[in-house]
Amino acid sequence: MVDEAIVLEVERLRREIDRHNYLYYVEARPEIEDYEFDRLLEKLAGLEQKHPELITPDSPAQRVGGWITKEFPTVIHREPMLSLSNTYSTEEVGEFYRRVMKLLDRQEDDPSAPAFTAELKFDGVAVSLVYENGLLLQGATRGDGARGDDITPNLRTINTVPLRFRPFRNGDTGNSGGYEDSLIEVRGEVFMRKDDFATLNESRPDDEQFANPRNATAGTLKLQDSAEVARRKLYFVAYYLEGEVFGEMAHHVRLETLKKMGFLTDRYCRLCRELQDIQTFIGEWDRKRWSLPYETDGVVLKLDDISLRDVVGSTSKSPRWAIAYKYPAQRASTVLRKVVFQVGRLGTVTPVAHLDPVRLAGTTVSRSTLHNLDEIERLDIRLRDTVLIEKAGEIIPKVISVDMQQRPSDAEPVEVPEVCPSCGTILERPADEVNLFCPNEQECPAQKRARIEHFASRNAMDISGLGKAIVEQLVEKKLVSDAGDLFSLTPDMLQGLERQGETSSTKLVKAIEKSRTRGYDRVLFGLGIRHVGLATARELAEAYPSMDVLSEASVEELEALPDVGKVIAESVYTFFRNPVACSIIEKLRAAGVRMSSEESRTLVNSNFDGMKIVFTGTLERHARPEAAELVVERGGREVRSVSKNTDLVVAGKDPGSKLEKARKLGVRVVSEEEFEAMLFGE
Ligand code: IVH
């Protein structure tokens, strides 16, 4: 029997976590910091690990099961998942409106004309969730509409998919809940935010980039390792609720109910009583959608009154009571001024089009990749040509065609370079390759720069302040030749560079220093081994807990790992036999960069071992983040608010209410001088 107090604590933690999850995702007004949330979750997971008999399927600590399977079982949808008929014209939206009115035998100017909901059309992947007695039973893809794949374990990892929904009040009848013995189906869209998409792509090798967030979402939901799905932050937005208890509840009330149940819904949904309202909504979001953190590709219009939907009916493919208005693909025409051949970190030379700046889908575009030489040939593109560009997946602009009618007489063919634009070495074009390649791996400045930029990037060592401009100068002035050299930089060495004063130089050196504590998997990714993205780096780091062991692994051994094929295995093997790579690794090792999983942060001392410390008021000697870092280096950590669990409050000048609270709770309070003494005291 588990102690009653533990049972209660587990229940309290679950309630608390669910509440904060709701505040964060659905209401977008979090009350606690992310790390505090993580702590609650860790605590719950710890208790459940110790007392597995307390585990329930709806526990927030059970979202990730580390589930791996070979294939997904098939699910037959209870109601077919229809798709929507599309239109790209607002006139057709008017026709749709009038058609529905006619089928319902209503006049357009009838004051009691039925209303439509206008919702954003999320650009993601449609899924269905089935709940039994309030508990998530099954989640599936749309598939062919009649049957889809059962991807429950993957969907469970999504924070905005409630594992158990909250009790709701039935708006029409005033009944509370009533779902205890019923099946309820929720449908909606799984999507990835634009920023998370960018981060994900940064972590992947060049030849494995997703074209847009929708593809990334679809690819992620198909993964057979739910732990990896959990890492790639997906969201679920609900737009459909079905179950006997809801009777004839109008669609917009269902959306409100979904929100009460704990689902994320479209907060911009509007109930439109006239055609004019619908057209206004469409016009408004044509502009505003670019400022959303996720992608939308149109507006969905649905008859709000559910009982009227049967009157209007459906075809075998799509309902007649709804329609999707899609915004036209974002295209613009502009003029090609020059083609610059850019050298990447692995020596690949890519043509980049420099264009006259043009507004497209919310941003100004002046560059676009031309991918490779075959593409230049296919497009027959020449300098001064007028070209049509499109934002594929609304993010990366792409040249799709050349307007031959507008080709000027002086249009010049693109000159393909024979030597590397950066180092002058003769370029190679390996058989079966569409790209040129600079073989001067060791000395080519462009390759050096690109490798260092990759090392410093967000998913790798995340060195803030080490941008393109600085890296370029560092390499040009020969202060740095590879990532290993970064750690010998001093503020003095940086001060001669453009836009580097005393403060920024010191800051940059500190940021480089700080990156030494990044995990070994990120170091491995940062080395930029061909074909090794962040996910592969993690897998390698798990299987080989130190760089030394990994460097000894044979191709056969590496290939035996689940997600490592021959190409990756050979690439890793070759990398560790490259003398340049070995010398970089040695420099990093000497600098104290982590080379194994076990190594943990080296503490300066343990004066604050396990302590939770609150700062209040202004500190004279250290900026806040720095003070927090000093605490971490001594085994403690900073917390934001005072509670009885706080171990110490450091009061600076003009302390706030935290000081009073600390006094009330009897928490120890020290001055900044005392804190200073504690940092270094024995
Ligand atoms: S309703 C029968 N609402 O668009 C109605 N769909 O082209 C079913 N979609 O398969 C769909 N946002 O993947 C609906 N607010 C929204 C939507 C939405 C995106 C997707 C969904 C659907 C496709 C239809």
Side-chain angles (χ1 to χ4, degrees):
M1 266 294 277
V2 183
D3 193 31
E4 177 74 10
I6 294 176
V7 177
L8 289 177
E9 174 66 357
V10 164
E11 284 169 3
R12 185 191 69 80
L13 283 167
R14 285 180 190 156
R15 270 196 312 273
E16 181 113 353
I17 292 167
D18 283 339
R19 192 173 79 86
H20 288 302
N21 218 8
Y22 187 77
L23 285 170
Y24 184 91
Y25 287 107
V26 181
E27 304 218 329
R29 49 177 191 94
E31 284 178 2
I32 57 173
E33 299 285 334
D34 291 0
Y35 70 83
E36 291 176 276
F37 181 83
D38 292 343
R39 282 246 316 155
L40 292 173
L41 204 57
E42 269 168 35
K43 212 162 157 189
L44 176 61
L47 287 174
E48 288 186 5
Q49 203 175 12
K50 248 199 198 143
H51 310 283
E53 60 272 48
L54 296 183
I55 294 177
T56 58
D58 62 333
S59 167
Q62 297 297 319
R63 282 198 183 267
V64 191
W67 167 86
I68 300 197
T69 181
K70 279 281 155 258
E71 60 191 45
F72 302 115
T74 299
V75 170
I76 299 176
H77 296 301
R78 296 174 339 124
E79 277 282 323
M81 285 181 81
L82 298 181
S83 76
L84 295 173
S85 46
N86 285 334
T87 172
Y88 287 92
S89 94
T90 46
E91 284 85 63
E92 277 182 28
V93 170
E95 283 165 26
F96 157 78
Y97 182 82
R98 284 184 283 273
R99 196 161 56 237
V100 175
M101 288 297 161
K102 200 163 164 212
L103 285 165
L104 292 172
D105 228 355
R106 295 291 179 94
Q107 297 298 320
E108 227 182 285
D109 47 9
D110 185 338
S112 67
F116 285 82
T117 54
E119 297 164 37
L120 299 180
K121 187 172 183 316
F122 294 85
D123 201 7
V125 175
V127 302
S128 145
L129 305 172
V130 176
Y131 288 83
E132 188 180 43
N133 306 329
L135 211 62
L136 177 64
L137 184 70
Q138 183 181 71
T141 60
R142 176 169 176 273
D144 63 5
R147 52 191 76 214
D149 286 340
D150 179 345
I151 52 164
T152 316
N154 284 351
L155 292 172
R156 285 176 61 89
T157 68
I158 301 175
N159 281 316
T160 45
V161 167
L163 299 176
R164 174 192 290 279
F165 58 67
R166 316 171 124 221
F168 57 92
R169 275 191 155 270
N170 188 325
D172 279 353
T173 61
N175 289 338
S176 82
Y179 58 79
E180 283 79 6
D181 50 9
S182 62
L183 278 181
I184 283 173
E185 185 176 356
V186 176
R187 291 180 187 171
E189 201 85 351
V190 176
F191 65 91
M192 190 179 283
R193 285 172 53 119
K194 295 184 205 170
D195 50 355
D196 292 329
F197 165 74
T199 314
L200 173 64
N201 258 355
E202 272 174 33
S203 78
R204 297 172 66 82
D206 295 350
D207 51 353
E208 284 175 31
Q209 298 280 302
F210 288 113
N212 54 48
R214 181 173 17 86
N215 287 3
T217 306
T220 302
L221 286 178
K222 273 196 218 124
L223 288 176
Q224 314 222 294
D225 172 3
S226 63
E228 179 58 24
V229 179
R231 275 191 217 112
R232 301 202 191 161
K233 303 204 187 100
L234 294 176
Y235 286 75
F236 172 74
V237 57
Y239 49 63
Y240 167 104
L241 173 65
E242 191 49 69
E244 236 166 79
V245 280
F246 303 108
E248 304 278 88
M249 185 192 273
H251 179 62
H252 81 276
V253 186
R254 288 182 194 230
L255 293 178
E256 284 162 17
T257 308
L258 278 167
K259 184 171 173 192
K260 287 187 205 145
M261 290 162 79
F263 290 91
L264 185 67
T265 52
D266 173 15
R267 54 199 181 111
Y268 304 109
C269 169
R270 191 180 298 164
L271 193 61
C272 300
R273 303 206 174 267
E274 301 174 27
L275 177 57
Q276 187 49 50
D277 299 342
I278 294 175
Q279 304 288 24
T280 308
F281 187 88
I282 291 177
E284 221 174 278
W285 282 99
D286 193 5
R287 275 178 293 110
K288 290 206 290 199
R289 67 197 181 109
W290 302 112
S291 51
L292 294 170
Y294 43 82
E295 291 193 343
T296 57
D297 58 345
V299 168
V300 179
L301 305 165
K302 299 173 193 163
L303 190 58
D304 188 47
D305 187 331
I306 301 272
S307 60
L308 294 181
R309 290 185 180 180
D310 287 339
V311 181
V312 181
S314 298
T315 68
S316 63
K317 278 201 218 102
S318 52
R320 283 199 196 89
W321 43 261
I323 197 167
Y325 168 80
K326 286 223 201 171
Y327 290 109
Q330 299 287 311
R331 291 182 176 185
S333 75
T334 180
V335 176
L336 176 70
R337 291 298 165 195
K338 62 177 177 180
V339 174
V340 171
F341 285 80
Q342 203 171 292
V343 188
R345 68 185 159 87
L346 298 164
T348 308
V349 182
T350 328
V352 178
H354 285 222
L355 310 157
D356 282 348
V358 58
R359 289 292 292 177
L360 178 61
T363 55
T364 302
V365 177
S366 55
R367 278 175 203 199
S368 154
T369 171
L370 287 170
H371 300 290
N372 52 52
L373 298 181
D374 281 8
E375 182 75 357
I376 293 182
E377 219 166 273
R378 190 185 68 79
L379 290 166
D380 181 23
I381 195 170
R382 305 195 185 166
L383 302 188
R384 290 184 280 283
D385 261 342
T386 296
V387 297
L388 198 59
I389 58 171
E390 182 179 299
K391 277 206 172 176
E394 298 168 354
I395 290 186
I396 313 145
K398 188 178 147 112
V399 176
I400 44 174
S401 65
V402 173
D403 186 344
M404 295 299 171
Q405 247 88 58
Q406 293 201 54
R407 172 165 286 174
S409 51
D410 62 347
E412 251 176 76
V414 176
E415 214 175 297
V416 177
E418 284 178 5
V419 299
C420 173
S422 178
C423 67
T425 306
I426 294 179
L427 295 176
E428 293 172 3
R429 185 166 178 181
D432 313 329
E433 286 272 337
V434 284
N435 273 315
L436 291 167
F437 173 79
C438 166
N440 185 11
E441 186 192 334
Q442 293 198 26
E443 295 301 329
C444 175
Q447 290 187 50
K448 283 185 188 175
R449 287 199 301 264
R451 282 195 295 263
I452 296 169
E453 277 167 30
H454 173 75
F455 184 78
S457 68
R458 200 155 31 148
N459 282 306
M461 303 300 270
D462 193 16
I463 305 177
S464 59
L466 194 61
K468 250 187 163 49
I470 307 263
V471 174
E472 187 169 347
Q473 296 181 67
L474 289 174
V475 173
E476 194 192 301
K477 300 233 154 70
K478 301 214 174 353
L479 289 169
V480 164
S481 161
D482 59 49
D485 298 335
L486 290 172
F487 295 89
S488 349
L489 288 172
T490 62
D492 288 350
M493 291 161 84
L494 292 171
Q495 270 179 48
L497 306 181
E498 251 169 69
R499 280 198 299 260
Q500 283 289 307
E502 200 179 313
T503 329
S504 50
S505 302
T506 315
K507 235 169 128 182
L508 180 53
V509 170
K510 273 199 181 146
I512 296 172
E513 281 292 295
K514 203 172 149 212
S515 77
R516 290 184 310 169
T517 55
R518 305 272 181 264
Y520 152 62
D521 51 346
R522 290 172 66 168
V523 179
L524 201 49
F525 170 62
L527 288 174
I529 307 172
R530 194 185 286 264
H531 305 302
V532 175
L534 191 55
T536 308
R538 283 204 191 105
E539 188 179 1
L540 291 172
E542 239 163 69
Y544 297 91
S546 82
M547 194 81 80
D548 290 337
V549 188
L550 175 62
S551 67
E552 298 289 315
S554 68
V555 174
E556 292 72 37
E557 266 168 48
L558 290 164
E559 239 190 293
L561 294 175
D563 287 323
V564 175
K566 197 171 164 64
V567 178
I568 300 180
E570 277 173 359
S571 163
V572 173
Y573 182 86
T574 319
F575 180 84
F576 285 108
R577 272 134 204 95
N578 175 333
V580 182
C582 294
S583 106
I584 297 174
I585 293 171
E586 283 326 305
K587 284 189 227 173
L588 293 176
R589 190 194 304 279
V593 170
R594 286 204 202 171
M595 293 285 153
S596 75
S597 309
E598 290 105 56
E599 271 170 64
S600 56
R601 180 191 273 279
T602 30
L603 294 183
V604 174
N605 60 41
S606 45
N607 289 0
F608 294 135
D609 192 23
M611 286 171 77
K612 292 191 224 44
I613 300 180
V614 172
F615 293 98
T616 176
T618 319
L619 301 183
E620 314 268 27
R621 303 194 196 189
H622 305 284
R624 275 285 180 83
E626 197 182 289
E629 183 67 15
L630 291 169
V631 168
V632 171
E633 285 171 2
R634 287 157 178 80
R637 71 191 178 83
E638 184 201 11
V639 291
R640 300 287 166 93
S641 55
V642 180
S643 74
K644 63 179 190 331
N645 295 325
T646 310
D647 297 292
L648 187 71
V649 170
V650 180
K653 232 173 99 197
D654 304 324
S657 62
K658 291 180 187 173
L659 181 61
E660 270 171 51
K661 191 160 177 204
R663 295 236 160 92
K664 236 186 240 157
L665 292 171
V667 175
R668 184 176 170 203
V669 178
V670 295
S671 67
E672 196 183 349
E673 281 87 327
E674 286 169 288
F675 170 68
E676 201 70 23
M678 289 172 83
L679 285 174
F680 303 100
E682 302 244 345

